[in-house]
Amino acid sequence: MKIKSLFTCSKCGFESPKWVGKCPGCDEWNSFTEAEIQEPSVRAHKSVGHKSIKPKTPVSLISTSNVEKRLVLKMNEVNRVLGGGLIEGSLSLLTGEPGIGKSTLTLQLCNDLLSLNKSVLYVSGEESQNQIASRAQRLKINSENLSFLSETSLETIIATLNEFKPNIVIIDSIQVLNSADLTGLSGSIGQIRYATEQFMEFAKTTNTPIILIGHVTKEGDLAGPRVLEHLVDTVLFLEGDRYQNFRILRSQKNRFGSTNEIGIFEMNENGMVEVANPSAHFLEGRKENPIGSAITVTMEGTRPILVETQGLTNITPFGYPKRTATGYDINRLQLLISVLQKYARFNLSNQDVFVNVVGGMRLNDPACDLGVLVAIASSYMQKVVPSDTVFIGEIGLSGEIRNVSQLSKRVKEAEKLGFKTIVVPHTKEKITTTSGKNLIKTKDIFEVVKAL
Ligand code: TYD
Ligand code: MG
């Protein structure tokens, strides 16, 4: 045996035979640490001594009777994000910032699973059994089928799983586990990857769904290893402002469904409560005929959601004007400002511009551009935006308002919530509204600004 050393990036797992200052994989500085690997001195030819297996063809002949069996949960918002329920034998990773509600949500999921008559093992390396038990009491979860284990040794956990064979396993969290087979500290790439592989094997061989909890760093990366994302079947991300009640569950990767759907929750004293009508929720507490505020419709997967966008412009006290966006892309904001300067003749070069999306929602849908633009224009012109109006449209570089996807779905949602006027892009598409609702088709931002 020859001992060779290898350097790995502690953030993304990039491997290099020599030390480098800046990781070529993730651009992180000073993240390489040395690890020793043992290599057999003579490499045998890889295929020698292995038997071949005849591949099965075509795909339709492969039996699918026991794949994709889903456990449908009571929490519809979670089912939606998972693509219809928890798949048996799947390995899921639930991530989010510390304190966002991962443990709370999984404990509530346990409750759902228990009502399906499944036994659940909740392994916590972070909190003591008393802490989890008191949280379970607070969430009114009380069942003989729910067992707790306070443990961080990977070998002990795997041995326990093999002996007691629970139907569902929760690991809270993957970063605190430690295997005696490896020398690295718990939380290091090697440890996390090794533990995940062990759980993957257990999940696949016993057809047991496993949910791993993992923390992310401030920048939104999985603390240390992005490598985990490739290993697991599903990556769920729980986000929200810790000082607001909204929590949004997204899937970043899903081998069994779409990654567009989101689940919306509110954190209150009884844990996470599903928000059935998010539009009404996001519009709560809105002012009558406001200045610097406009309503728009974002599509989250197959769901249209109405949100309030706010804009504020103010003379720059000195120096360089500030542009700040919360919940909206800063580059798109720069674009809207340029378009307003050029095509609406606004002088924003000596104005600070702030944009905020109410309720902690993050807008990635270009159809929300028009709403943001109207909010900024309203603040700059000090003109009121009628509070029964919704703005839908993508802004192009020459100030034109472009058509958006799923327009009729958006219009329907706005109607449902009682909005009287709906401003939409000029399109040949036939959009119908029930009588009394006013649909205004616009071609460019000049028309909209003039109307204000
Ligand atoms: P927790 O699930 O422990 O977060 P994570 O596992 O992601 O670190 O949730 C932490 C916060 O949630 C904590 O500040 C208290 C709050 N909380 C509630 O508001 N209501 C509840 O019913 C529970 C159990 C927690
Ligand atoms: Mg926790």
Side-chain angles (χ1 to χ4, degrees):
M1 287 282 222
K2 207 164 78 182
I3 295 189
K4 242 180 101 176
S5 70
L6 185 73
F7 293 85
T8 46
C9 169
S10 56
K11 197 174 169 206
C12 73
F14 192 92
E15 292 176 346
S16 157
K18 52 182 211 289
W19 190 85
V20 267
K22 186 183 178 189
C23 173
C26 64
D27 288 345
E28 182 77 5
W29 285 94
N30 211 6
S31 60
F32 274 78
T33 50
E34 187 174 6
E36 283 176 355
I37 50 166
Q38 293 187 332
E39 231 183 37
S41 50
V42 188
R43 267 220 175 148
H45 195 277
K46 277 196 181 130
S47 61
V48 172
H50 287 270
K51 258 207 307 206
S52 70
I53 303 173
K54 187 171 183 285
K56 280 187 195 165
T57 50
V59 181
S60 57
L61 283 186
I62 300 171
S63 147
T64 53
S65 58
N66 53 8
V67 285
E68 299 243 326
K69 233 173 155 190
R70 288 181 193 268
L71 299 169
V72 180
L73 307 164
K74 258 193 265 157
M75 278 203 191
N76 254 327
E77 298 290 302
V78 178
N79 284 333
R80 190 205 317 274
V81 177
L82 287 171
L86 190 62
I87 297 263
E88 288 193 345
S90 67
L91 184 65
S92 313
L93 176 67
L94 172 64
T95 70
E97 280 178 32
I100 202 78
K102 299 180 293 299
S103 304
T104 308
L105 183 65
T106 23
L107 207 55
Q108 286 179 279
L109 289 184
C110 289
N111 198 24
D112 271 19
L113 293 162
L114 292 167
S115 66
L116 296 172
N117 256 331
K118 301 278 179 189
S119 64
V120 181
L121 177 64
Y122 193 111
V123 182
S124 178
E126 294 197 342
E127 292 163 304
S128 69
Q129 291 189 345
N130 287 344
Q131 280 172 309
I132 309 169
S134 75
R135 180 181 293 139
Q137 245 167 33
R138 188 163 154 192
L139 298 171
K140 301 193 178 61
I141 301 169
N142 186 15
S143 162
E144 304 241 301
N145 283 337
L146 177 61
S147 352
F148 293 118
L149 182 66
S150 199
E151 185 57 62
T152 56
S153 152
L154 179 65
E155 284 72 29
T156 313
I157 295 170
I158 296 283
T160 312
L161 296 187
N162 281 324
E163 188 177 341
F164 293 96
K165 298 194 172 51
N167 297 133
I168 291 114
V169 181
I170 315 280
I171 307 290
D172 188 2
S173 69
I174 187 78
Q175 274 124 340
V176 297
L177 300 192
N178 201 307
S179 163
D181 290 351
L182 302 179
T183 50
L185 295 173
S186 45
S188 69
I189 292 237
Q191 288 281 1
I192 293 181
R193 181 155 42 184
Y194 184 67
T196 307
E197 280 165 1
Q198 302 285 309
F199 288 123
M200 185 56 132
E201 195 181 316
F202 183 82
K204 297 298 169 206
T205 51
T206 59
N207 213 21
T208 310
I210 302 186
I211 301 176
L212 307 174
I213 295 180
H215 298 296
V216 293
T217 57
K218 268 204 211 83
E219 296 89 45
D221 288 336
L222 249 162
R226 299 219 64 158
V227 270
L228 267 197
E229 292 186 12
H230 308 291
L231 297 176
V232 299
D233 295 317
T234 311
V235 181
L236 303 177
F237 188 66
L238 188 62
E239 65 179 12
D241 194 334
R242 269 175 72 178
Y243 304 101
Q244 282 181 345
N245 292 341
F246 280 112
R247 298 287 185 271
I248 295 174
L249 185 70
R250 296 177 187 274
S251 75
Q252 286 183 342
K253 164 181 176 181
N254 193 350
R255 285 198 180 137
F256 316 108
S258 140
T259 51
N260 290 329
E261 301 291 345
I262 63 167
I264 301 179
F265 302 88
E266 203 182 354
M267 178 71 119
N268 67 19
E269 65 282 359
N270 300 318
M272 302 271 250
V273 182
E274 296 180 274
V275 175
N277 188 349
S279 296
H281 236 97
F282 281 121
L283 298 184
E284 226 169 55
R286 198 161 50 104
K287 272 209 295 196
E288 195 64 27
N289 293 330
I291 288 181
S293 154
I295 309 298
T296 184
V297 190
T298 173
M299 287 302 292
E300 292 293 340
T302 51
R303 259 196 312 183
I305 297 175
L306 273 84
V307 281
E308 178 182 357
T309 60
Q310 296 181 324
L312 175 68
T313 68
N314 215 350
I315 297 223
T316 309
F318 57 88
Y320 202 67
K322 234 189 190 156
R323 278 87 174 82
T324 311
T326 313
Y328 190 70
D329 181 24
I330 188 81
N331 293 322
R332 282 208 83 79
L333 172 61
Q334 305 274 19
L335 185 150
L336 294 187
I337 292 171
S338 294
V339 167
L340 277 171
Q341 301 217 52
K342 185 130 186 161
Y343 296 102
R345 306 239 168 266
F346 281 22
N347 181 13
L348 296 171
S349 57
N350 61 350
Q351 300 270 332
D352 290 343
V353 180
F354 304 92
V355 164
N356 178 39
V357 179
V358 178
M361 191 77 180
R362 218 179 51 209
L363 299 183
N364 296 319
D365 187 347
C368 301
D369 288 352
L370 186 59
V372 177
L373 181 125
V374 168
I376 298 170
S378 153
S379 172
Y380 179 76
M381 298 160 77
Q382 286 294 296
K383 295 277 188 249
V384 160
V385 181
S387 46
D388 60 358
T389 308
V390 172
F391 298 88
I392 305 167
E394 179 180 351
I395 309 289
L397 287 185
S398 48
E400 81 276 22
I401 296 173
R402 309 186 67 101
N403 199 5
V404 301
S405 62
Q406 314 195 55
L407 185 56
S408 48
K409 248 188 178 169
R410 301 178 199 252
V411 169
K412 266 210 196 91
E413 176 76 4
E415 278 192 284
K416 208 173 82 191
L417 281 138
F419 285 86
K420 299 236 162 52
T421 311
I422 304 164
V423 181
V424 296
H426 201 89
T427 151
K428 290 201 190 78
E429 204 180 321
K430 252 194 108 183
I431 310 285
T432 45
T433 53
T434 42
S435 58
K437 302 292 189 289
N438 199 357
L439 206 63
I440 303 178
K441 292 189 171 181
T442 47
K443 278 205 179 102
D444 58 49
I445 64 157
F446 194 71
E447 281 176 35
V448 179
V449 170
K450 214 167 71 188
L452 271 184

